[in-house]
Amino acid sequence: MDGEKSTSLKWLWCIVLALPSLLPLAMHFHFANSADEFGTGFIQNDQPYYMANAREHFDAGKISLTYKNPNDWRRDSPRIYFQPQTLFLGFVQKFTGADPALIFAIFGFVFAVLTVRVAWSLLLEFVPRADDSWFANLAMFIWGGGLFAVAGLATMLIAPQSDLALYDYLTMYDPFQGWWFLNLGRNLVFPMEAWYHFLFLGGALMLARGKHFAAIAIGLLISISHPFTGVEFLAIMTAWLFLERIFWQQKSTSWISIAASLVLLVLHVGYYQVWLGTFPTHRELHEVWELAWELKAVDMILGYGLVAAFAFWTCRSSTQSASFLSQSKHRLLVVWFAVAFLLANHEFFMKSVQPLHFTRGYVWMPLFLIGASSLQRLTQYFNDRGPFKYATWVLVLLMLLDNATWLSVCSIDGRHNSAHSKTDFRAVMAVLNEAPRETTNEKLVVVSNSRLLSYLATTYTPHDAFCGHGYLTPDVQQSERKVSALISGGAFIESLDGYPQLVVLDFNGPSVDTKTAAETKNRLRTCYEENGYEVAELESSDSFAVFQCTPAVSRQQLGNSDEN
């Protein structure tokens, strides 16, 4: 009975520690309501894309294990992508019919709690629970950060600027205003990151416990879940296993485990860098993804300096270092940090491909775990000396300050919410879903002056977007210009000739409003009819209008034309 009570209490603490991850979502709806807008439930621009991928498994009229890019409207866009979590989310959405944002949020919070639980076990591997101060260390592991807020506040005091508010100072040094998540806890805000971190920490826990083949199985799951996290974990695991056997002469590390880990790493790189590259559609996007999103020296100092100080103190002398490195699981932390740090700064030895993707707390976490024993000894020292007892709380506050202030910024400043709509997007999506199709698996191309509505159509409807996600739409800038020319000047989009289309006019979007709505409607109708399309107005309201534009040529003729 006591064991059951202890287990229940432990899970309760995990839920409590995961709860702050829901604050940005709650404030997303708060700001939408206060601005008389519609909140989509997706707090950042990339998030709807994952649920769009999920429904792609079923949008062909039958289940498909692979999916295509829903932001690529072309008929020949290949089904070459697969992630297990995407397939699972597709199943849930297909058979429940629930709102995609709700499914995504529940998925995210479940794995946020599970990530906290695995992090709890991982921390116990390196710092056994000694007294109640251990829970402070756990809280710092989950929600600890760096010195970004301190640096921002110092700047506000030393060199204030009249055009900056408090929340501007708090995140002014944090990459992407704090939205790149250089430590663990903040990653729990994004559902997919919660999933990746659950797997990564689970794999690290298995390695620390010497369960190599369990870690390899988890490595396979990470590999097929995400390219960046996959290569990072597999590189860490392979390097550590190899060094354990060759350099440290650990017979418990088998050659089979080394070979299996290496094969996974080679297959991972082969799939993402070689095989996918044989498809022109993927190469187009890959060229767009090769962005120089890099950490600056000041970012690393402020982001990692606090935990690095404790890690340094743990290995402050040759004797201390030798003692620390005498344990295999401690050597794992050193390899983990070294590989993650090199990947996060790979622009120094290869072409830069979004090095920031390799941060996401993966550099911060091993530094924290290396210094965790020193951190615990310091908190115990404070607690054992009455007058210094409150110094523990000062230390905890300092460690938590970055994430505490960032979450507060989410509560003060609604600018981070990129998926608010002044138009009732659910009403638009209902019309698009009810649009008549010749077959149940027919996909129409959504064209809209609202990038958000066009993008959300891939998440809420079976249709594809002509101009959706900025980094996933082929030649997105040219597509934007074509949409603008269509809406404002009636210039037909030649590349869509022969494609059945749904044209959405958002009167709260660019190039059209309620005053020019009638003129724009007539111009669109004339444009499509002159190019051999039948035009039907499906819906018209004070804020939007939807037209279905169907090519007069039959679907059979189109199929024959494609074959020729």
Side-chain angles (χ1 to χ4, degrees):
M1 185 67 69
D2 289 341
E4 292 178 1
K5 183 178 180 181
S6 175
T7 300
S8 299
L9 187 61
K10 187 177 293 185
W11 280 107
L12 179 61
W13 274 112
C14 290
I15 292 172
V16 170
L17 286 170
L19 276 175
S21 67
L22 294 178
L23 184 58
L25 179 61
M27 300 315 297
H28 165 85
F29 287 109
H30 169 74
F31 285 116
N33 293 334
S34 63
D36 197 23
E37 296 177 343
F38 297 89
T40 63
F42 296 104
I43 63 172
Q44 188 264 351
N45 187 56
D46 291 335
Q47 304 310 300
Y49 164 69
Y50 298 107
M51 291 306 295
N53 291 343
R55 71 170 302 135
E56 276 290 329
H57 287 287
F58 295 90
D59 279 349
K62 59 181 181 179
I63 184 174
S64 172
L65 292 179
T66 57
Y67 66 89
K68 75 175 193 66
N69 175 13
N71 290 273
D72 188 346
W73 48 271
R74 295 170 293 193
R75 293 191 185 98
D76 60 352
S77 181
R79 291 182 170 274
I80 54 177
Y81 303 106
F82 172 81
Q83 284 94 33
Q85 73 276 13
T86 302
L87 181 60
F88 170 76
L89 289 168
F91 267 110
V92 174
Q93 185 174 5
K94 174 68 175 179
F95 293 107
T96 66
D99 185 276
L102 176 62
I103 295 171
F104 201 47
I106 293 174
F107 173 85
F109 188 67
V110 167
F111 280 100
V113 174
L114 291 174
T115 300
V116 172
R117 182 64 187 87
V118 175
W120 184 317
S121 297
L122 185 62
L123 183 60
L124 279 173
E125 286 294 317
F126 298 97
V127 185
R129 183 177 172 183
D131 56 21
D132 290 340
S133 67
W134 189 88
F135 284 100
N137 291 345
L138 175 64
M140 288 188 282
F141 184 40
I142 303 300
W143 287 104
L147 298 169
F148 289 113
V150 171
L153 291 171
T155 301
M156 182 179 69
L157 296 174
I158 297 170
Q161 301 177 42
S162 59
D163 58 334
L164 295 182
L166 174 61
Y167 45 73
D168 293 311
Y169 287 106
L170 291 172
T171 60
M172 68 187 305
Y173 296 108
D174 211 339
F176 290 80
Q177 288 74 52
W179 283 87
W180 205 265
F181 307 169
L182 298 187
N183 42 70
L184 172 56
R186 212 176 294 184
N187 283 280
L188 304 183
V189 169
F190 285 169
M192 281 300 173
E193 288 299 331
W195 163 252
Y196 304 147
H197 283 72
F198 166 70
L199 292 179
F200 191 103
L201 291 177
L205 179 61
M206 292 300 99
L207 290 175
R209 290 178 174 177
K211 299 179 178 180
H212 299 162
F213 288 103
I216 289 169
I218 294 173
L220 172 60
L221 195 53
I222 300 174
S223 173
I224 58 178
S225 294
H226 193 242
F228 289 97
T229 308
V231 74
E232 192 161 16
F233 179 80
L234 292 176
I236 291 166
M237 179 169 64
T238 304
W240 178 70
L241 290 173
F242 182 82
L243 289 172
E244 286 295 287
R245 179 72 189 207
I246 300 299
F247 187 80
W248 294 100
Q249 298 292 310
Q250 295 295 309
K251 300 297 184 182
S252 59
T253 302
S254 68
W255 286 109
I256 296 176
S257 64
I258 296 173
S261 183
L262 181 60
V263 167
L264 273 183
L265 179 59
V266 171
L267 289 175
H268 181 90
V269 174
Y271 172 73
Y272 287 105
Q273 293 296 319
V274 180
W275 187 74
L276 287 180
T278 63
F279 296 89
T281 55
H282 180 80
R283 286 200 305 271
E284 287 181 48
L285 296 179
H286 195 271
E287 291 172 1
V288 175
W289 298 338
E290 293 181 346
L291 301 169
W293 289 346
E294 302 166 359
L295 277 177
K296 299 177 182 178
V298 68
D299 298 335
M300 289 185 278
I301 293 170
L302 295 177
Y304 305 132
L306 195 55
V307 287
F310 286 102
F312 173 79
W313 186 253
T314 299
C315 304
R316 59 190 178 276
S317 67
S318 58
T319 303
Q320 295 286 346
S321 297
S323 174
F324 182 81
L325 293 174
S326 64
Q327 295 189 48
S328 178
K329 61 184 178 182
H330 289 167
R331 296 192 291 270
L332 169 63
L333 296 179
V334 175
V335 173
W336 176 356
F337 166 73
V339 173
F341 185 82
L342 287 173
L343 287 174
N345 295 275
H346 68 251
E347 70 275 10
F348 291 113
F349 51 87
M350 62 177 285
K351 185 176 181 180
S352 179
V353 183
Q354 300 185 40
L356 271 174
H357 260 298
F358 294 107
T359 56
R360 295 295 196 191
Y362 298 122
V363 178
W364 187 93
M365 286 187 285
L367 286 174
F368 182 96
L369 291 172
I370 291 171
S373 58
S374 296
L375 183 61
Q376 185 178 54
R377 283 194 295 271
L378 182 60
T379 55
Q380 288 177 342
Y381 175 85
F382 288 148
N383 288 339
D384 292 342
R385 288 158 178 79
F388 294 96
K389 185 176 182 179
Y390 296 105
T392 298
W393 296 107
V394 174
L395 177 61
V396 172
L397 177 62
L398 178 63
M399 188 70 80
L400 301 185
L401 189 59
D402 270 0
N403 282 312
T405 54
W406 183 80
L407 290 170
S408 298
V409 166
C410 291
S411 302
I412 298 170
D413 179 19
R415 292 174 300 178
H416 69 280
N417 293 294
S418 61
H420 286 170
S421 174
K422 292 185 178 298
T423 299
D424 186 349
F425 73 94
R426 285 187 173 82
V428 176
M429 298 303 132
V431 176
L432 298 183
N433 273 310
E434 294 168 4
R437 295 180 284 167
E438 291 194 11
T439 61
T440 55
N441 64 339
E442 181 186 39
K443 284 176 170 285
L444 283 66
V445 180
V446 177
V447 181
S448 177
N449 64 314
S450 167
R451 277 277 297 280
L452 178 59
L453 293 182
S454 182
Y455 177 26
L456 290 176
T458 65
T459 300
Y460 284 86
T461 80
H463 309 304
D464 294 331
F466 179 68
C467 188
H469 191 288
Y471 293 112
L472 296 163
T473 299
D475 204 354
V476 64
Q477 293 181 343
Q478 183 178 355
S479 296
E480 276 190 308
R481 289 192 293 268
K482 289 180 178 179
V483 172
S484 179
L486 170 68
I487 302 298
S488 60
F492 185 69
I493 302 176
E494 295 294 339
S495 53
L496 285 178
D497 189 18
Y499 284 83
Q501 299 165 49
L502 290 166
V503 181
V504 179
L505 294 179
D506 182 1
F507 302 154
N508 292 305
S511 304
V512 60
D513 54 32
T514 53
K515 295 181 180 178
T516 60
E519 179 184 349
T520 304
K521 289 180 184 181
N522 291 333
R523 186 165 55 242
L524 281 173
R525 184 181 292 275
T526 300
C527 169
Y528 276 94
E529 289 176 347
E530 288 180 348
N531 284 275
Y533 277 73
E534 297 175 358
V535 181
E537 186 171 344
L538 301 182
E539 184 76 25
S540 185
S541 70
D542 293 338
S543 59
F544 70 90
V546 179
F547 291 87
Q548 181 161 6
C549 304
T550 307
V553 63
S554 70
R555 302 297 303 174
Q556 183 64 42
Q557 288 174 300
L558 280 174
N560 293 337
S561 175
D562 287 341
E563 292 175 5
N564 294 333

